[in-house]
Amino acid sequence: MVRESIAPELSPDLLERIYLRQREHQFSRDRQRAIADLDRLIDAHLDQVSADLEQTGTEQP
Amino acid sequence: MKIHSLSMKNFMPFKGDVTIEFPTDDHRNVMIIFGDNMRGKTSVLNALRWGFYGRALDRHSREIPITEIVNKDAANEGDFTVEVQIQFSSNDGQHFDLRRKAREREYTTRPESPEAFSTQVSLRIDGMPIQGDLIETEINQVAPEQVSRFFLFDGELLQEYETLLIEGSDQGRRIKEAIEQVLGVPSLINGRDDISVILKGAQKIQARDLRSVQGLDHLAQTQTMLSERQDRLQSDLAGLKSRLDKARQSRQLLEDRLSGLDSIHQSKARHDSLGHDIANAQEHQAVLEAQRREVLGEAWQDLLEIRVAPIRRLLEERRDAADERRADLKDLQRQIVNLENSLQTKLCPTCQQPISEEMRNATGSELGRLNVEIERHSHESDDLDTINSRLSTLSKISGAQARERLAKIDRDLQQVELTIVKATNEMERIFVEIQGYDTAEISHWRTERDEWLREDGILTSRITATESELEKVRQSLASNQHAIETKAPARSQHSTQKVALCTNIEEVFRRSIESLRDALRQDVETRATEAFLQMTTQEEYRELRINKNYGLVIIDKHGERVDRRSAGAEQVVALSLIDGLNRTGRGVGPVVMDTPFARLDPSHRRRILEYLPTVSSQFVILVHGGEIDEEMDLAPIADRIGATYLLREINSRQTVLERR
């Protein structure tokens, strides 16, 4: 619901993966590990989007 | 998660090695540990806490120092080693072997402070040793400490959950935080904060990238400026929050210190008030004693009065008699006048008829007698003047009524003395009670606590203002980002794409927090209601309704809120909340309850015993004989009981555990 109203183009799959990763790190005092994990997830997603764009040749919004 | 075994060595009343095997069968998953008061039921719960998290807690949730954890008899024999080993498995089948050991440091003969102990912890998962810094993380994955109060809990503290119904209570806020942790709300909050860190990094790279693109440098500049402002505000906010945490911790520390000292403070206030009462009474006593002296000074008048009164009475009698005689004299004079007229006129004074010579002689003779009598009376008239003169003198001597006045003063004095004696006795009793306590320090703590409360208000208001300012900067950054994204050269850059993605994710997380809370609250309400209807014996109750703080109110079948709840009903509501939370947020796990049935009647006990084992992987209760009837309460769940232990006293410092 929130995603649809703010950024409908945002991948629900990515959001879910981020949330699950955060749940794993919820009780960890060392936030750096969680941040590094999240950063990797986001970069991997962007790389995937770029790769998909190259294949389809269209620009994403 | 399932606990397989708990082994303790020299842990509180358990001297030497003691092991409890937990039932791991899915159906026979109930374990009962019987023990009278002071036998070590709470120590079993604490052994689990200490093993998992390295801390044991007292009834006020304060940490028990290791010096108090080591068994006294073992310590007297020179053995200061405390060890707990917990074998457990996660829901995905991994086997954990956790050991925590504390012992005196090298070259310490008799450790008398926690600093004199060193602690070691080791963990193996499926036989593989885990590195020290990862142990806590691994334990928290399976049994997070922050939510441990919901599965390792003290039944005596169940009434704490009532504070969730009180808006703004400190204890309620702490429990609410724990509840949100078990529900996973911090995952979103951490997610938002972690993404925010990534976003800031991406923005810096984006600004650097944009500066090299012609026509976009002003947007890069704006972004840099806004980012810097955001950094400053976030740093201020973190500082304020840290100060608020410190203020709350300091206040809590003082609250904890003062919680047991409230009665001392009240006694001290009573002691002071009695001191004032005594001073006032002594002042009144001095006034009364002065009055007494004054009355005694006038008492001689009463002694004289004793002598004067009979004389006065005699004189008064004589005066009355003289008065009577004076009236008689007037009568005589009138008779003489009549007789003299009669002699002159030779007529009867009554009928005016002529009187005979013989009658005139008799009248003359009578006149002579009356003249003699009147002469005698005139002497007595002189006597009356003397009497009146003496009476006038004596009237100046009047009594001081000293006796009556003294009696009243003495009564008042007795009353005052009684007040002073009673107040002094009470003061002495209170003195014994408060001696050893530094009451000035208690007053100081109270003042300091009030100061922290004021500081809390100031910081909270500054945090709100800073958050509002931060929100404005965030919106400006989003507008600037939107402007950047409209430029094709920027749009193709990885940094711009990353900033756009992170901005969206951060916003989704930010806005989701409240909706997640609402959804989770709804879930908890539904599950707690299910549990409540299984456990309550009151058919009039229809459901539980949750408030913003996760406090639960009972709704009856007419849809009316039940405001007056019995102690038992409160306990059932608290158990329902805990079950609702465990099932919403934690997944199936063990529930260990210390003294859970103290306030419950047999019907509720039976229903709880039948229900809770069905929703937990293991249901462990630590009970004393008075709160459970073995035959009546346990018969219906006999086929679910996997193990029963008894805590038996050896001496006041030592307990043994026997399997039955």
Side-chain angles (χ1 to χ4, degrees):
Chain A
M1 283 282 284
V2 176
R3 181 192 66 83
E4 283 163 15
S5 65
I6 294 170
E9 74 282 8
L10 200 57
S11 157
D13 176 55
L14 173 66
L15 279 177
E16 194 181 334
R17 273 184 291 151
I18 292 173
Y19 178 70
L20 291 176
R21 201 60 63 88
Q22 284 297 321
R23 280 220 71 155
E24 282 173 28
H25 289 292
Q26 180 182 325
F27 298 106
S28 165
R29 285 181 196 157
D30 178 11
R31 297 312 307 164
Q32 288 313 311
R33 282 183 68 200
I35 290 167
D37 244 15
L38 222 56
D39 202 18
R40 273 195 296 276
L41 211 60
I42 287 166
D43 281 340
H45 175 78
L46 284 171
D47 290 346
Q48 184 63 48
V49 169
S50 296
D52 291 348
L53 283 178
E54 275 173 25
Q55 273 191 347
T56 58
T58 54
E59 193 181 353
Q60 288 286 310
Chain B
M1 175 201 173
K2 276 183 186 171
I3 300 171
H4 295 241
S5 67
L6 165 70
S7 300
M8 303 171 273
K9 182 183 178 186
N10 296 339
F11 193 91
M12 300 184 98
F14 303 105
K15 189 188 172 204
D17 295 306
V18 173
T19 296
I20 303 174
E21 300 286 345
F22 283 59
T24 51
D25 184 275
D26 284 345
H27 183 72
R28 298 181 77 88
N29 64 344
V30 176
M31 180 162 86
I32 304 166
I33 300 178
F34 289 99
D36 289 338
N37 290 334
M38 311 295 288
R39 289 290 75 76
K41 296 190 296 297
T42 308
S43 299
V44 173
L45 191 71
N46 265 326
L48 286 167
R49 279 194 193 119
W50 193 78
F52 276 124
Y53 314 117
R55 72 191 93 235
L57 302 175
D58 68 11
R59 279 265 144 87
H60 300 287
S61 300
R62 284 178 297 222
E63 194 170 334
I64 302 170
I66 185 70
T67 44
E68 297 294 316
I69 290 175
V70 61
N71 177 265
K72 297 280 181 290
D73 282 352
N76 287 338
E77 291 168 15
D79 185 357
F80 295 96
T81 307
V82 178
E83 192 168 356
V84 167
Q85 179 186 12
I86 306 171
Q87 307 246 12
F88 60 101
S89 58
S90 61
N91 287 345
D92 58 10
Q94 284 184 308
H95 185 267
F96 292 69
D97 181 353
L98 174 66
R99 291 164 198 248
R100 194 175 296 271
K101 182 177 180 179
R103 56 170 304 163
E104 76 276 21
R105 288 186 187 279
E106 246 183 313
Y107 310 118
T108 308
T109 47
R110 192 169 184 86
E112 285 173 352
S113 70
E115 293 74 34
F117 283 84
S118 67
T119 306
Q120 289 174 322
V121 57
S122 69
L123 174 69
R124 283 176 179 268
I125 301 178
D126 290 337
M128 296 288 290
I130 302 298
Q131 280 185 339
D133 56 339
L134 293 178
I135 292 174
E136 190 186 316
T137 307
E138 290 294 346
I139 294 169
N140 277 331
Q141 293 291 334
V142 186
E145 180 181 4
Q146 289 91 332
V147 302
S148 60
R149 65 179 294 141
F150 301 114
F151 59 91
L152 299 178
F153 72 85
D154 186 342
E156 295 284 337
L157 302 180
L158 279 177
Q159 65 268 32
E160 279 187 346
Y161 293 89
E162 284 295 292
T163 58
L164 293 170
L165 296 172
I166 303 165
E167 199 60 49
S169 88
D170 253 7
Q171 194 178 41
R173 188 169 52 222
R174 284 200 304 280
I175 298 174
K176 183 185 168 185
E177 277 171 17
I179 287 174
E180 297 211 322
Q181 282 177 328
V182 78
L183 294 177
V185 176
S187 302
L188 278 190
I189 296 170
N190 291 340
R192 176 200 63 191
D193 295 345
D194 292 350
I195 287 282
S196 176
V197 173
I198 295 169
L199 175 60
K200 272 197 279 185
Q203 280 168 336
K204 284 196 176 83
I205 298 169
Q206 184 191 32
R208 194 189 60 206
D209 291 349
L210 291 180
R211 274 196 290 272
S212 61
V213 181
Q214 197 163 10
L216 297 182
D217 51 343
H218 68 286
L219 288 170
Q221 231 172 20
T222 306
Q223 194 204 47
T224 304
M225 188 195 74
L226 287 168
S227 290
E228 283 169 0
R229 170 117 183 93
Q230 187 184 36
D231 283 351
R232 278 197 301 277
L233 285 168
Q234 279 175 338
S235 163
D236 288 352
L237 192 62
L240 287 168
K241 283 184 174 172
S242 156
R243 282 173 60 192
L244 183 64
D245 277 351
K246 185 173 171 287
R248 285 182 175 163
Q249 278 169 14
S250 302
R251 199 179 88 213
Q252 190 52 48
L253 194 70
L254 290 164
E255 292 282 10
D256 287 347
R257 277 190 205 158
L258 286 166
S259 66
L261 298 172
D262 258 2
S263 62
I264 299 296
H265 184 77
Q266 282 163 9
S267 297
K268 173 70 171 67
R270 175 76 183 141
H271 189 268
D272 292 348
S273 157
L274 287 168
H276 289 301
D277 289 352
I278 290 173
N280 288 338
Q282 282 169 338
E283 210 171 293
H284 188 204
Q285 190 180 34
V287 170
L288 288 170
E289 277 168 355
Q291 285 177 358
R292 194 171 199 280
R293 281 194 298 275
E294 194 181 323
V295 172
L296 282 173
E298 293 169 2
W300 63 270
Q301 294 184 20
D302 285 351
L303 294 173
L304 208 57
E305 172 72 9
I306 296 167
R307 305 286 299 274
V308 167
I311 300 168
R312 191 190 292 123
R313 272 198 302 279
L314 190 68
L315 286 169
E316 280 168 354
E317 282 168 15
R318 284 175 60 191
R319 181 193 60 196
D320 293 346
D323 276 345
E324 272 179 34
R325 280 194 298 277
R326 182 170 281 189
D328 291 347
L329 182 63
K330 279 184 183 166
D331 193 39
L332 284 172
Q333 282 170 338
R334 199 171 51 251
Q335 286 181 43
I336 287 169
V337 170
N338 285 342
L339 290 174
E340 281 173 349
N341 282 342
S342 177
L343 285 173
Q344 273 181 358
T345 59
K346 299 176 185 171
L347 293 172
C348 171
T350 309
C351 63
Q352 295 298 311
Q353 295 295 316
I355 55 171
S356 64
E357 196 58 29
E358 190 184 353
M359 183 63 81
R360 282 189 67 209
N361 288 341
T363 302
S365 169
E366 177 64 10
L367 189 61
R369 190 189 64 79
L370 289 176
N371 276 330
V372 171
E373 195 168 334
I374 215 163
E375 182 63 24
R376 188 165 47 85
H377 271 77
S378 69
H379 291 301
E380 286 175 357
S381 174
D382 292 345
D383 199 26
L384 181 64
D385 290 342
T386 310
I387 291 168
N388 277 336
S389 163
R390 288 185 67 191
L391 271 172
S392 168
T393 307
L394 290 176
S395 72
K396 287 172 188 158
I397 303 166
S398 63
Q401 284 92 44
R403 184 191 295 268
E404 293 78 11
R405 288 164 66 199
L406 276 175
K408 186 180 179 316
I409 290 171
D410 284 345
R411 275 199 305 277
D412 289 353
L413 268 171
Q414 271 181 356
Q415 193 60 48
V416 171
E417 278 163 13
L418 191 68
T419 305
I420 292 172
V421 169
K422 278 169 78 174
T424 309
N425 287 344
E426 194 179 345
M427 273 184 88
E428 281 170 6
R429 186 184 57 73
I430 292 173
F431 181 75
V432 172
E433 189 185 317
I434 64 176
Q435 73 178 348
Y437 290 96
D438 187 342
T439 49
E441 193 171 38
I442 294 173
S443 295
H444 174 73
W445 287 344
R446 289 173 74 92
T447 312
E448 205 180 325
R449 180 205 48 195
D450 295 345
E451 281 298 312
W452 282 122
L453 187 64
R454 208 171 58 84
E455 178 79 355
D456 188 318
I458 293 168
L459 290 170
T460 304
S461 131
R462 285 181 63 188
I463 285 171
T464 309
T466 310
E467 279 174 341
S468 157
E469 190 62 24
L470 200 53
E471 183 56 30
K472 284 182 199 159
V473 173
R474 202 173 282 125
Q475 282 168 11
S476 301
L477 268 168
S479 302
N480 195 57
Q481 176 64 19
H482 187 68
I484 292 169
E485 285 172 32
T486 58
K487 314 289 181 194
R491 208 163 47 233
S492 61
Q493 287 180 338
H494 178 269
S495 58
T496 298
Q497 287 166 7
K498 190 166 179 176
V499 170
L501 182 63
C502 289
T503 303
N504 282 337
I505 296 171
E506 189 201 31
E507 193 61 14
V508 169
F509 268 70
R510 185 184 312 285
R511 302 250 188 114
S512 298
I513 292 169
E514 269 318 303
S515 41
L516 176 74
R517 277 193 172 116
D518 288 343
L520 290 171
R521 263 195 291 270
Q522 197 52 53
D523 246 15
V524 173
E525 182 183 282
T526 306
R527 289 170 194 266
T529 294
E530 285 167 13
F532 182 69
L533 294 178
Q534 291 289 324
M535 292 189 282
T536 184
T537 54
Q538 179 54 265
E539 289 178 5
E540 286 283 301
Y541 296 159
R542 192 183 71 192
E543 62 186 357
L544 293 176
R545 200 164 289 163
I546 202 161
N547 71 9
K548 250 180 79 178
N549 300 325
Y550 303 89
L552 289 168
V553 291
I554 302 172
I555 305 297
D556 68 16
K557 67 178 183 187
H558 308 292
E560 299 287 326
R561 183 188 154 121
V562 178
D563 283 322
R564 293 180 69 83
R565 330 203 286 206
S566 66
E570 277 174 17
Q571 195 148 1
V572 175
V573 170
L575 288 170
S576 305
L577 172 65
I578 288 164
D579 181 50
L581 291 171
N582 279 337
R583 287 192 296 136
T584 305
R586 192 168 69 96
V588 178
V591 172
V592 184
M593 298 164 90
D594 178 15
T595 326
F597 301 128
R599 298 193 290 174
L600 293 171
D601 58 41
S603 314
H604 277 112
R605 288 203 298 265
R606 197 171 57 246
R607 297 189 76 145
I608 290 167
L609 281 167
E610 281 173 0
Y611 173 71
L612 286 180
T614 65
V615 287
S616 46
S617 64
Q618 290 160 311
F619 183 59
V620 180
I621 49 172
L622 299 141
V623 290
H624 58 73
E627 64 177 314
I628 204 161
D629 182 318
E630 279 198 65
E631 280 186 20
M632 212 171 79
D633 293 331
L634 301 183
I637 58 155
D639 66 326
R640 294 205 71 120
I641 299 174
T644 307
Y645 286 91
L646 173 70
L647 296 169
R648 194 168 57 77
E649 178 185 15
I650 296 290
N651 59 41
S652 62
R653 301 169 309 279
Q654 213 186 118
T655 293
V656 290
L657 191 76
E658 292 172 349
R659 185 155 189 164
R660 289 164 51 176

